Amino acid sequence: METTTKGPEASSKEKKTAGKGIIDKAILRDALKGAFTKLHPKVQVRNPVMFVVAVGTVISIYESIKSPSIFTISVTAWLALTVLFANFAEAVAEGRGKAQANTLRSMQTHTDARRIDDKGVETRVSTAELRRGDFVVCEAGDVIPSDGEIVEGVASVDESAITGESAPVIRESGGDRSAVTGGTLVLSDRIVVEITAEKGKTFLDRMISLVEGASRQKTPNEIALTILLAALTIIFIPVTVTLYSFASFGHATVSVVVLVALTVCLIPTTIGALLSAIGIAGMDRLVQKNVLATSGRAVEAAGDVSTLLLDKTGTITLGNRMAANFYPMDGVDEQELALAAQLSSLADSTPEGRSIVVLAKEKFGIRGQTMGDNHIFVPFSAYTRMSGVDIGDRMVRKGATEAVKAFAVSRGGTVTPQVDQLSDRVSSHGGTPLLVLDGNRILGVIELKDTVKDGIKERFAQLRAMGIRTVMITGDNPITAAAIAAEAGVDSFLAEATPERKMELIISEQAGGKLVAMTGDGTNDAPALAKADVGVAMNSGTNAAKEAGNMVDLDSNPTKLIDIVEIGKQLLITRGALTTFSIANDVAKYFAIIPALFVARFPGLKALNIMALHSPTSAVLSAVIFNAIIIIVLIPLALRGVRFKPASASHLLRRNVMIYGVGGLILPFIGIKLIDLILVFTRLY
Amino acid sequence: MNIALTILALLIVLGISWRYLGSYLEAVFEGRVKFLSFIERRFYKLLGVDPEAEQSWQSYARSLIIFSVLSIAFCYGILRLQAHLPLNQSHLPGVPPALAWNTAVSFITNTNWQNYAGETTMTYLSQMMALVVPQFTSAAVGIAAAIALSRGFSRKLSKTIGNFWVDITRVIIYVLLPVAFIAAIVFMGQGAVQTFSHSVTIRNAATGFKQTIPLGPVASLETIKQFGTNGGGYFNANGAHPFEDPTAMTAFLSVVLLLAIPVSLTYTFGKMIKRKRTGLLLLATMAFFFFVSLGVATVAEKAPSPVMSAATHGQVVHAFEGKESRFGIFDSVLYDVASTQTSTGSINSQLDSYSPVGGAVALGGMMLGEVSPGGVGSGLYTILAFAIVTVFIAGLMVGRTPEFLGKKIQAKEIKLASIAVLIMPIVVLVATAIAVSVPAGRAGPLNAGPHGFSEILYAITSQGNNNGSAFGGLSGNTAFYNIIGGVVMLLGRFGVMIPVLALSGSLAAAPIVGETDGTLKTDSFLFGSLLVGVIVIVGALSFFPVLSLGPIAEALSHGRLF
């Protein structure tokens, strides 16, 4: 269970992002600047924890001007650094987004668009003038001016700018591949596009503002956590403020600077400083996986998902069904069946058709059948659900069981029970049966088999351990679906799926308190995508689907749903882990500061100085320095997210409590002691 | 041996109570217990309440506040006017305003802090109407709030959380009255007094010494004092007075009575939410704190005090000062620990005479929020508020939006739970700071130095937690301490209860989320440990500085803790 098997696409993804590293120099430079510009009170007040630190710093500055000493000045300096470090963390996270946004922005077109009116008259207008519903012409070499729907023509389009994929894709009018994105380049042919988004509202614009964090709103969970952190901040203000009167009651004196230092050390500054960076970085990790989320809320919801609806084709199976076997009827020679099957597929250019030709060749060496003049190819249609060839009066067909049976009967043939037996046998193995008919005689069955992706079973096992149920969605009949479901190891399946049934499934899961994630690309998927808690639309899909979902996968790879769930979980875990760490840290800080505060008045309290810190001043300063430095140290962790291995909740909890809870309890004892030793060593104290 | 047997007996009796009283309480609140429904119906008619009509949380809270405010006014009135009311055998004057305010608030908030000596201040009528009646009603209010919160967890998409008037009526007539009545008879059998006759005066023939011994309706107060975790004694000496706690058996029974409801409510909760394991987990967490407190206090009190050892040249001397000498050190400690940890606050030995560590145990139990097991109802709803905070942090660490018992914990829930958990420390710290800063407050403690600080801190902490146990050593019956104490008690009671009811409303309205392997298990050992951790850390972080100036500074002045 512990092995982290990566999906087939994971390796290629890593290559894409490997060059970026966590932080590069340009980002660091900008972030340093950002650390100072973010000092603006308007920015600070958004983060209650850091706001208290900022106010404390101002008080401390005032105090150290009033009575300057090395101690007060250095404490004040480190308090100021704490604020700057927090700003820096946020700026670094934003910087990474900005870098991506800049790349995107550079491809926004400034060239003119070729608008055509009802009469087909073409005028050159600037992109800014385009309105929804306008029609534009794009030919080879043109950049598509804005998002739209192809209404006429077919073209190959280079979408590498947004997907990172260099291979051009085909976009054509009608069907599910008609959407084009502004900023992409037409490589061949001519298309007419109906504009669906005005300037400033295009996909690219949305993407830029998202990765930049400009339109970032706090997510529900982030708000809840901010409230908890605010509560943990508010409690420490009376704790330290009242200490002033308690101390004077006990005839002990405490300096304001030390009280400010104590407050700052106790309030959860670590998580407070890194919280927004964690959120931005989570979004960023999605972008690096080439997934765009319309809101941070969707990313969080992904972590909560308990049911995944996965399309069979392309997600669970490779999606190219290949002919695997011929099963002749009694009294029919297998070779005769193969011959007829091959004949019916000669002009069939679908992968299935070609695989039949290849299988016949491999098994019986049948080759060289060529289409004669009298051969009339009958293509597959959704209505007949058959394809084949007419040679004079002779009709050779292959097709879906029911269709071919009906066809045979209509032409006076007989259907023996063996037909159903053979097709059921194929279905029960997870194959798809194709009946072959010559004239009105059913010859037998071709078994088409789909291959389950490598490693997918292990991934589902991991998902199950995480408490996520996988449901395979397929148009196959229940028997075939059951066989593939068993082979792939999904928990359940929906056979003979229609958009309506998919919708029903989502509604029933949600009624049971489950959160559902799904992928989809077609217009008929749109209602389900909108209904699902996490709806990932394929970029290759229609605009309707993209509008309905709350994420878009630029690579159009449905398997990525699993990655999305993991990113969502990782985001929440990182927040929880750093909150725990932050709170656990307080214990050591108390042991550093409290004896330091009162040891002069109550010498017995030196027993609490369990770290044996050098002096009261070095103890306070060490705690403050530790408190500031830990923010910087944890920035990479906040940006990368804590390591996530799919496992059960109990397992994850145990692991994270050990590392961040117990670790967070122990580490500051060591860290503060070390800093104290350094302070003593440098003879500053 | 004695210790082991006592604890074993206690465990057995409480185990039975947990299972059966817990189950009975659930039946009472769900309306399945009906044998006194003719009385019930009369009550509802009198109050003008439709027992079938449920209330939203706002309406529930409004009823609770109205009831409590009227009760305070009622008690205050009786105390002020007692001179002119019947049953004033000793011709006592009316209670002064500040003291009457403090006492009325104290009894209505289930605190039972007493800034007076009962036998010389209160008439029999005041004792019965202004002090015994609230011991029933305030306990009922606390239990009702806990039940309302439990309903928040057990219901889904519900706008209502029960009916306040029905809840308190049922718990009083089906649980509190019958048990207190039967127990009072047992206490009387053991020697607790129950009479309207005047005090008796005896004369020691040998010494010629004359002594007046006050009497009164003691036994009836005594049992509800324990069973409702109230703690307000009839006499100033509280449980150390032989008329209140006549024998070792009543001492044991007292401990059982005061632990019974707080312990059993965890079963009630588990049954209501259909997850008995979760109820057991809450009980285990409470028991952990209880036994740690008991263990530490026993060790601390059994150990010879350093000062006395020095005086007696190392001879082992037990710290018997202030202990209940009839029952010995352990039984004294058990009674006081059980009483302070349940927020009862009755005592049979003087905490002020305890060692610094022994005293800190009582203080620590309160500072941790009174969940060990805490007062009737308040212990359960407070630990549930802590559990919500724990779930939130732990839940994030498993990579999901935190959920507790099928309810998503989001901004609103975490806000209310945080208020419920943090209001007490804030109130206590601020009020203590005021007390040590103003001359009227500084005049209070009898001792100087850290011990004097502990005396003030204890008094405020006890009232802020609605505990009512007294550390002693503080002249509390002053205008300053009476007034600030009343305010602290009100905030400590309703400042927690109202957010708890709001929490119940918010939870009841939410749907129940399905559970998967990815859901945080909230009935595991690990979760229990985290809950303990959060309670300790919140308490320690809030109070470590003040403790270090009080008991810790005092204890360490001897150079060691024990």
Side-chain angles (χ1 to χ4, degrees):
Chain A
M1 295 293 285
E2 278 301 299
T3 51
T4 41
T5 36
K6 288 198 176 102
E9 71 292 334
S11 54
S12 69
K13 226 30 23 77
E14 270 167 22
K15 251 179 267 157
K16 217 184 276 178
T17 53
K20 280 187 181 168
I22 285 284
I23 300 161
D24 78 19
K25 270 189 189 147
I27 293 177
L28 277 185
R29 234 188 349 260
D30 285 346
L32 274 176
K33 218 170 76 191
F36 288 92
T37 55
K38 279 172 185 290
L39 285 174
H40 195 286
K42 244 181 167 171
V43 182
Q44 288 293 314
V45 82
R46 278 193 312 212
N47 184 337
V49 181
M50 294 320 294
F51 183 68
V52 169
V53 181
V55 171
T57 310
V58 173
I59 296 173
S60 184
I61 289 172
Y62 171 76
E63 286 292 322
S64 46
I65 290 170
K66 226 172 61 179
S67 50
S69 72
I70 297 184
F71 173 70
T72 52
I73 291 168
S74 32
V75 167
T76 308
W78 279 99
L79 291 178
L81 280 175
T82 312
V83 178
L84 290 174
F85 287 170
N87 289 344
F88 178 73
E90 193 180 84
V92 168
E94 283 172 354
R96 295 213 298 168
K98 274 201 191 102
Q100 277 166 323
N102 287 339
T103 328
L104 292 172
R105 198 170 281 130
S106 68
M107 18 164 303
Q108 274 180 317
T109 80
H110 300 289
T111 51
D112 292 345
R114 297 161 58 188
R115 185 166 69 189
I116 51 169
D117 59 20
D118 314 345
K119 291 162 199 120
V121 180
E122 195 179 308
T123 38
R124 286 198 167 262
V125 295
S126 93
T127 317
E129 286 173 53
L130 285 177
R131 295 284 170 267
R132 278 177 72 116
D134 284 352
F135 292 93
V136 293
V137 180
C138 298
E139 278 178 313
D142 286 346
V143 172
I144 298 173
S146 188
D147 294 1
E149 199 88 41
I150 302 180
V151 290
E152 188 189 315
V154 53
S156 63
V157 179
D158 175 5
E159 294 191 341
S160 61
I162 51 168
T163 64
E165 202 59 59
S166 54
V169 291
I170 302 295
R171 294 281 177 252
E172 58 189 328
S173 63
D176 288 348
R177 294 159 160 269
S178 58
V180 287
T181 311
T184 54
L185 181 70
V186 177
L187 293 180
S188 70
D189 304 287
R190 174 182 187 276
I191 47 175
V192 177
V193 175
E194 181 182 351
I195 299 300
T196 54
E198 287 162 25
K199 191 177 167 60
K201 291 177 185 162
T202 65
F203 190 62
L204 204 63
D205 293 314
R206 261 170 43 208
M207 189 162 160
I208 290 169
S209 74
L210 275 169
V211 294
E212 253 187 349
S215 64
R216 204 178 89 86
Q217 284 179 325
K218 279 188 177 162
T219 57
N221 175 262
E222 206 177 345
I223 292 169
L225 185 55
T226 307
I227 290 174
L228 180 71
L229 297 180
L232 288 173
T233 306
I234 290 166
I235 175 66
F236 287 119
I237 293 172
V239 166
T240 46
V241 171
T242 56
L243 203 51
Y244 196 78
S245 24
F246 299 147
S248 63
F249 179 78
H251 307 292
T253 45
V254 278
S255 79
V256 173
V257 172
V258 174
L259 282 183
V260 169
L262 180 63
T263 313
V264 170
C265 284
L266 294 181
I267 64 176
T269 47
T270 315
I271 178 69
L274 298 174
L275 187 59
S276 58
I278 294 170
I280 298 168
M283 201 71 140
D284 195 51
R285 274 198 297 281
L286 262 192
V287 174
Q288 284 180 26
K289 293 250 182 204
N290 268 356
V291 177
L292 282 185
T294 51
S295 70
R297 185 187 282 261
V299 187
E300 263 173 23
D304 287 350
V305 160
S306 40
T307 307
L308 282 187
L309 305 189
L310 298 167
D311 280 331
K312 184 195 80 175
T313 311
T315 312
I316 296 169
T317 62
L318 290 171
N320 43 351
R321 294 186 297 185
M322 310 284 271
N325 281 302
F326 297 115
Y327 296 110
M329 300 280 288
D330 289 342
V332 177
D333 184 32
E334 191 180 342
Q335 189 161 355
E336 187 188 352
L337 169 63
L339 204 64
Q342 192 191 43
L343 199 56
S344 73
S345 307
L346 279 177
D348 185 350
S349 61
T350 63
E352 288 95 341
R354 265 172 294 170
S355 78
I356 294 169
V357 176
V358 170
L359 183 72
K361 188 171 80 185
E362 278 173 1
K363 276 206 157 171
F364 302 103
I366 309 169
R367 61 165 78 218
Q369 289 202 71
T370 44
M371 296 276 281
D373 291 342
N374 57 346
H375 289 42
I376 301 162
F377 179 61
V378 183
F380 178 85
S381 84
Y383 178 68
T384 61
R385 290 158 72 207
M386 292 186 297
S387 65
V389 62
D390 289 348
I391 311 165
D393 285 345
R394 182 182 169 200
M395 292 176 151
V396 182
R397 294 283 185 278
K398 67 170 195 293
T401 311
E402 294 307 318
V404 174
K405 269 160 66 181
F407 188 71
V409 171
S410 74
R411 304 192 58 85
T414 49
V415 179
T416 59
Q418 202 200 358
V419 173
D420 284 333
Q421 281 166 21
L422 284 178
S423 356
D424 287 351
R425 197 167 98 200
V426 169
S427 296
S428 64
H429 290 127
T432 308
L434 281 185
L435 248 52
V436 181
L437 170 135
D438 193 345
N440 60 11
R441 204 161 65 101
I442 295 174
L443 298 178
V445 174
I446 312 169
E447 180 182 16
L448 292 180
K449 269 193 98 166
D450 201 350
T451 358
V452 171
K453 282 185 179 173
D454 268 355
I456 200 86
K457 196 165 183 168
E458 289 74 13
R459 274 209 105 167
F460 291 152
Q462 290 172 351
L463 286 171
R464 198 168 305 119
M466 284 153 57
I468 296 173
R469 217 164 68 88
T470 44
V471 180
M472 182 180 86
I473 307 290
T474 171
D476 292 345
N477 65 59
I479 302 168
T480 313
I484 296 181
E487 193 182 341
V490 293
D491 297 302
S492 173
F493 62 86
L494 178 69
E496 288 166 355
T498 58
E500 294 75 32
R501 295 194 55 195
K502 225 163 150 176
M503 190 74 168
E504 282 164 21
L505 179 66
I506 293 174
I507 291 169
S508 78
E509 288 284 322
Q510 287 176 336
K514 300 261 167 54
L515 262 68
V516 182
M518 67 168 283
T519 59
D521 53 5
T523 302
N524 56 10
D525 282 330
L529 280 170
K531 183 75 189 157
D533 301 282
V534 177
V536 184
M538 299 294 109
N539 191 43
S540 60
T542 59
N543 272 327
K546 286 200 242 177
E547 290 287 330
N550 44 17
M551 291 191 197
V552 176
D553 178 14
L554 300 175
D555 296 341
S556 306
N557 173 1
T559 318
K560 223 185 265 167
L561 199 48
I562 301 173
D563 296 324
I564 294 171
V565 168
E566 292 192 358
I567 289 173
K569 285 196 176 295
Q570 199 186 24
L571 173 72
L572 293 171
I573 293 176
T574 308
R575 276 186 202 146
L578 290 181
T579 306
T580 310
F581 183 83
S582 200
I583 298 170
N585 270 205
D586 281 3
V587 176
K589 293 173 193 163
Y590 259 144
F591 277 102
I593 297 181
I594 293 292
L597 269 178
F598 299 121
V599 75
R601 173 68 183 83
F602 303 113
L605 287 179
K606 72 170 182 291
L608 292 182
N609 182 10
I610 54 178
M611 283 173 271
L613 301 177
H614 177 67
S615 68
T617 45
S618 78
V620 172
L621 190 57
S622 302
V624 173
I625 294 177
F626 177 83
N627 194 52
I629 285 183
I630 197 74
I631 295 173
I632 290 288
V633 171
L634 291 176
I635 288 177
L637 182 73
L639 296 185
R640 207 179 46 227
V642 302
R643 238 174 78 226
F644 175 75
K645 273 186 194 170
S648 70
S650 323
H651 188 96
L652 284 173
L653 183 62
R654 202 171 316 122
R655 181 173 176 277
N656 291 320
V657 166
M658 284 316 285
I659 298 178
Y660 299 98
V662 178
L665 212 58
I666 298 169
L667 183 73
F669 280 101
I670 301 168
I672 292 173
K673 178 69 188 167
L674 274 178
I675 295 170
D676 185 67
L677 286 175
I678 293 169
L679 287 179
V680 173
F681 183 73
T682 54
R683 292 176 192 275
L684 278 169
Y685 288 90
Chain B
M1 199 51 204
N2 171 29
I3 296 180
L5 276 179
T6 311
I7 290 177
L8 186 67
L10 194 61
L11 286 178
I12 292 171
V13 178
L14 286 175
I16 294 168
S17 154
W18 179 71
R19 171 65 185 77
Y20 294 101
L21 179 59
S23 170
Y24 177 68
L25 278 164
E26 192 263 348
V28 166
F29 282 107
E30 296 298 303
R32 293 201 306 276
V33 178
K34 296 193 166 120
F35 66 89
L36 294 174
S37 58
F38 61 100
I39 304 179
E40 241 191 288
R41 275 201 304 275
R42 207 158 293 171
F43 257 110
Y44 300 146
K45 225 171 174 180
L46 197 74
L47 294 166
V49 171
D50 173 10
E52 300 303 314
E54 292 226 328
Q55 294 174 302
S56 65
W57 83 261
Q58 291 95 337
S59 166
Y60 199 102
R62 209 176 306 126
S63 301
L64 187 148
I65 297 294
I66 290 171
F67 178 71
S68 300
V69 168
L70 290 179
S71 303
I72 291 172
F74 173 76
C75 292
Y76 182 83
I78 290 188
L79 296 177
R80 296 283 295 129
L81 298 174
Q82 65 172 6
H84 314 291
L85 295 170
L87 288 177
N88 186 0
Q89 265 89 332
S90 311
H91 306 291
L92 294 166
V95 179
L99 180 60
W101 150 256
N102 186 279
T103 307
V105 171
S106 168
F107 278 73
I108 297 307
T109 55
N110 198 256
T111 311
N112 308 63
W113 173 265
Q114 294 169 295
N115 270 339
Y116 61 88
E119 56 271 48
T120 55
T121 317
M122 302 296 172
T123 65
Y124 290 177
L125 183 88
S126 291
Q127 290 273 19
M128 288 192 301
M129 294 308 293
L131 306 182
V132 176
V133 171
Q135 304 218 17
F136 285 94
T137 56
S138 70
V141 167
I143 299 171
I147 293 295
L149 180 58
S150 310
R151 290 200 186 107
F153 282 106
S154 69
R155 294 180 175 188
K156 56 177 175 182
L157 305 172
S158 163
K159 288 195 175 78
T160 59
I161 57 169
N163 183 315
F164 171 75
W165 306 104
V166 173
D167 284 347
I168 58 166
T169 306
R170 284 189 177 149
V171 73
I172 289 174
I173 67 172
Y174 289 116
V175 185
L176 299 177
L177 267 174
V179 174
F181 183 76
I182 295 167
I185 292 173
V186 176
F187 269 66
M188 282 154 66
Q190 291 290 308
V193 295
Q194 178 76 13
T195 175
F196 281 156
S197 57
H198 203 267
S199 52
V200 291
T201 306
I202 50 165
R203 190 170 162 277
N204 188 325
T207 58
F209 202 77
K210 243 171 66 174
Q211 194 179 5
T212 302
I213 299 175
L215 300 172
V218 178
S220 60
L221 176 145
E222 195 59 23
T223 49
I224 188 60
K225 166 184 110 179
Q226 312 289 25
F227 193 50
T229 65
N230 290 287
Y234 191 94
F235 301 108
N236 194 26
N238 207 314
H241 196 298
F243 287 175
E244 288 204 15
D245 184 20
T247 63
M249 188 193 151
T250 55
F252 179 77
L253 197 57
S254 292
V255 173
V256 170
L257 279 175
L258 50 82
L259 286 168
I261 294 181
V263 162
S264 306
L265 274 176
T266 59
Y267 186 89
T268 313
F269 175 72
K271 197 167 175 195
M272 284 180 76
I273 59 161
K274 299 192 178 64
R275 294 169 208 245
K276 288 188 188 147
R277 262 182 71 100
T278 302
L280 191 60
L281 174 110
L282 296 179
L283 177 67
T285 310
M286 291 171 164
F288 170 80
F289 285 111
F290 180 80
F291 284 108
V292 168
S293 307
L294 184 64
V296 171
T298 307
V299 170
E301 296 314 307
K302 286 240 172 203
S305 116
V307 180
M308 287 201 291
S309 297
T312 58
H313 307 291
Q315 256 189 304
V316 177
V317 180
H318 287 302
F320 247 110
E321 186 205 290
K323 297 289 182 326
E324 171 58 282
S325 50
R326 291 177 296 157
F327 309 137
I329 287 181
F330 177 70
D331 283 4
S332 297
V333 170
L334 175 64
Y335 189 107
D336 276 20
V337 166
S339 159
T340 50
Q341 305 300 317
T342 53
S343 99
T344 307
S346 59
I347 45 160
N348 73 351
S349 46
Q350 282 303 327
L351 291 168
D352 198 22
S353 307
Y354 274 40
S355 68
V357 174
V361 164
L363 199 51
M366 294 190 281
M367 288 176 169
L368 295 182
E370 291 281 14
V371 290
S372 53
V376 289
S378 64
L380 179 64
Y381 62 64
T382 310
I383 203 169
L384 284 172
F386 273 114
I388 287 174
V389 174
T390 309
V391 159
F392 186 78
I393 299 171
L396 284 178
M397 280 197 289
V398 305
R400 286 173 67 100
T401 302
E403 50 202 67
F404 184 39
L405 306 171
K407 300 286 189 176
K408 274 201 182 313
I409 305 302
Q410 288 177 330
K412 192 169 176 195
E413 290 77 23
I414 201 71
K415 181 167 76 192
L416 294 167
S418 301
I419 294 173
V421 163
L422 296 179
I423 196 98
M424 182 278 288
I426 292 176
V427 167
V428 167
L429 288 171
V430 171
T432 310
I434 294 172
V436 300
S437 304
V438 300
R442 284 166 175 265
L446 296 180
N447 298 72
H451 195 77
F453 181 67
S454 297
E455 287 166 354
I456 298 177
L457 179 64
Y458 196 102
I460 302 286
T461 310
S462 174
Q463 295 180 75
N465 276 287
N466 305 121
N467 186 300
S469 72
F471 192 62
L474 183 80
S475 312
N477 190 11
T478 63
F480 173 76
Y481 279 108
N482 276 328
I483 292 167
I484 198 171
V487 173
V488 165
M489 285 185 279
L490 282 178
L491 289 173
R493 180 73 163 176
F494 300 107
V496 181
M497 229 179 230
I498 293 167
V500 160
L501 290 176
L503 192 56
S504 168
S506 156
L507 291 170
I512 291 185
V513 186
E515 206 168 310
T516 68
D517 283 346
T519 312
L520 175 74
K521 298 275 171 295
T522 49
D523 53 10
S524 64
F525 177 78
L526 183 62
F527 183 76
S529 319
L530 278 174
L531 179 56
V532 167
V534 166
I535 294 172
V536 169
I537 285 201
V538 169
L541 294 184
S542 318
F543 289 112
F544 189 62
V546 279
L547 285 174
S548 68
L549 285 172
I552 297 179
E554 189 186 353
L556 289 174
S557 64
H558 306 304
R560 59 194 179 89
L561 269 176
F562 289 101

